[in-house]
Amino acid sequence: MPASPSTARAINDRLALRLLQQEGPLTAGQLKQLTGLSRPTVADLVDRLTASGLITVVGESGEQRRGPNARLYGIVADRAHLAALDVRTEGVLVLVSDLLGRVRAEASAPIGGDTGTGPAVEQAVAAVESALKEAGADRLHTVGIGAPGLIDPATGDLRDSAGLPAWHRSLAAALQDRLPGARVTVENETNLAALAEQREGAARDRDTFVLLWLGHGVGAAVVLDGTLRRGASGGTGEIGFLPVPGTSGLPSATDCDGGFHSLTGAAAVVALAGECGLPTPATSDGPGAAGAVRAAVAEVASAGAVRAAVAEVASAGAVRGAVAAGAASGDRPAARFLRALADRIAVGAASVVAVLDPGCVVLGGEVGQAGGAVLAELVQERLGRMSPLVTEVRASSLGGAAVLRGALLTARERAQDDLFTPPER
């Protein structure tokens, strides 16, 4: 059935707004060309969107012929402000942006492990309010939160998870109460990181891939045919619980010790570095493990560059030559460490590949970012010997910023879905 006039107007308005979002300011003539709509229809939608406060004149196109057709129209970025939160075990990172996603302010709140739930929530909320004030805004339209743990698909709330601070589950309700009118949503941090890598990072050319998160804990996000898959209970990607060889036991329903986490979590990575004769950081958390990996990669790459030059293997590529030469260094502690870590990562990746055949695995989190192309290539080589399914392994290009970027992208889409649907007249 043909669309009603009001439905057709809404469709045309959203099309024009999406184009202005993607292309930046456009003239009425450019909108006509890009949408294929008639000149009167474009003039009508420009008037309608201007009256609704969604777009405004931001300049002129520079065309020789002046007048209404030369005016550049752009989205009113300050029509709404958004907040993105990356909730960690040890604190929270916050940024506030305008409707176009341009960051206006940032804040952070470190929260000690012995802080009670009430004070911890208050510190996190205060960080959001501080960033909002710094951005010069008086209210938030949408808040996107990225947090570790399972999201209940029925309620959208964080489920009670062993090992995670209680204030995580109380934060969304507190923000909803302190920010009247704001839409507050929570998503698993690894899922948000995958969305960011899909839109802006290492998986921009992939509709199907798996993000393997390697940080304080271990997780995965699955994107199939361009869609993030969460599972029946929101637990897709909880591979820290994956039973694997090489551990002292099996995981339980409430404890991932004995699962893949025991091989590749931060504490296991730091312990492995020590076993290989490398200096170990003072803390066995995500940043500590990343530091150990980063130092090993630097040492192997440096040694590989020298050996590659001597052996004249530059034609094999800088990264491949560095990895090959580093591996050839035999007993070097850094090389032993990276090979052993790649073997461990490949064990979990091979299980994911056998079930999903994603064609691409992105190594994210602090450890994945620290390992970079060197670790990714080692994992790909080991995975190629374990699985008949061709799988490319890439390093995250967003690293630690991926969760915040994913939370912001999600908040922006939800705000625009609301605001880009003008009320029927």
Side-chain angles (χ1 to χ4, degrees):
M1 295 178 62
S4 66
S6 61
T7 300
R9 284 195 296 269
I11 292 172
N12 293 340
D13 289 351
R14 287 180 69 89
L15 175 59
L17 288 164
R18 291 297 181 190
L19 286 170
L20 289 168
Q21 175 196 0
Q22 296 165 8
E23 305 293 335
L26 298 169
T27 66
Q30 290 169 328
L31 282 171
K32 174 182 177 298
Q33 181 180 9
L34 291 170
T35 61
L37 299 173
S38 67
R39 189 178 302 277
T41 300
V42 169
D44 182 51
L45 75 83
V46 166
D47 288 343
R48 186 165 56 250
L49 293 176
T50 301
S52 68
L54 286 171
I55 69 172
T56 189
V57 176
V58 296
E60 293 192 344
S61 66
E63 297 175 0
Q64 291 183 349
R65 184 165 63 94
R66 294 290 185 259
N69 290 333
R71 293 173 184 162
L72 280 170
Y73 295 92
I75 292 174
V76 179
D78 288 335
R79 173 66 185 271
H81 287 85
L82 323 168
L85 281 71
D86 181 359
V87 176
R88 309 285 181 93
T89 302
E90 67 279 4
V92 61
L93 303 175
V94 182
L95 62 80
V96 171
S97 82
D98 61 25
L99 185 58
L100 292 177
R102 296 180 299 206
V103 177
R104 297 297 184 86
E106 300 180 61
S108 64
I111 299 174
D114 57 350
T115 306
T117 298
V121 169
E122 181 60 33
Q123 290 178 33
V125 173
V128 175
E129 293 175 336
S130 174
L132 182 61
K133 182 178 179 181
E134 183 183 341
D138 57 0
R139 63 180 298 271
L140 288 169
H141 183 282
T142 306
V143 179
I145 303 173
L150 295 176
I151 307 298
D152 188 326
T155 64
D157 297 330
L158 269 175
R159 290 169 54 181
D160 190 5
S161 300
L164 294 177
W167 65 267
H168 283 195
R169 291 186 296 111
S170 303
L171 180 57
L175 286 170
Q176 193 72 74
D177 182 59
R178 293 274 285 273
L179 302 170
R183 300 183 174 192
V184 180
T185 59
V186 186
E187 178 59 271
N188 173 267
E189 60 177 355
T190 307
N191 286 345
L192 290 178
L195 290 174
E197 294 288 355
Q198 182 186 28
R199 303 287 181 82
E200 302 177 347
R204 280 176 293 182
D205 61 338
R206 291 282 183 169
D207 286 333
T208 296
F209 71 98
V210 169
L211 173 74
L212 192 59
W213 184 267
L214 305 168
H216 181 76
V218 180
V222 177
V223 177
L224 301 178
D225 299 324
T227 302
L228 179 69
R229 305 295 181 177
R230 294 179 175 84
S233 63
T236 295
E238 287 294 316
I239 61 170
F241 289 88
L242 183 72
V244 292
T247 64
S248 59
L250 291 173
S252 70
T254 58
D255 190 349
C256 57
D257 283 344
F260 186 51
H261 173 84
S262 294
L263 292 184
T264 53
V269 172
V270 170
L272 178 63
E275 292 169 9
C276 292
L278 294 176
T280 56
T283 57
S284 297
D285 56 6
V293 172
R294 191 176 297 108
V297 168
E299 181 179 335
V300 168
S302 175
V306 173
R307 292 171 180 270
V310 173
E312 297 181 352
V313 295
S315 60
V319 172
R320 187 171 297 278
V323 172
S329 61
D331 290 332
R332 293 181 67 90
R336 282 205 314 274
F337 168 59
L338 290 175
R339 289 199 307 274
L341 178 58
D343 285 348
R344 290 184 175 194
I345 295 171
V347 167
S351 298
V352 174
V353 167
V355 174
L356 298 175
D357 187 18
C360 179
V361 172
V362 176
L363 303 184
E366 297 102 327
V367 170
Q369 181 187 24
V374 171
L375 181 61
E377 185 175 328
L378 285 170
V379 173
Q380 180 171 319
E381 188 276 334
R382 185 71 177 100
L383 187 57
R385 289 189 280 123
M386 296 175 64
S387 171
L389 305 177
V390 178
T391 306
E392 183 180 3
V393 180
R394 300 176 179 179
S396 161
S397 62
L398 298 176
V403 176
L404 265 181
R405 290 302 306 170
L408 179 58
L409 288 168
T410 301
R412 189 179 72 180
E413 286 188 357
R414 287 172 178 165
Q416 290 177 346
D417 282 343
D418 176 40
L419 296 172
F420 286 5
T421 306
E424 294 186 7
R425 292 178 178 272

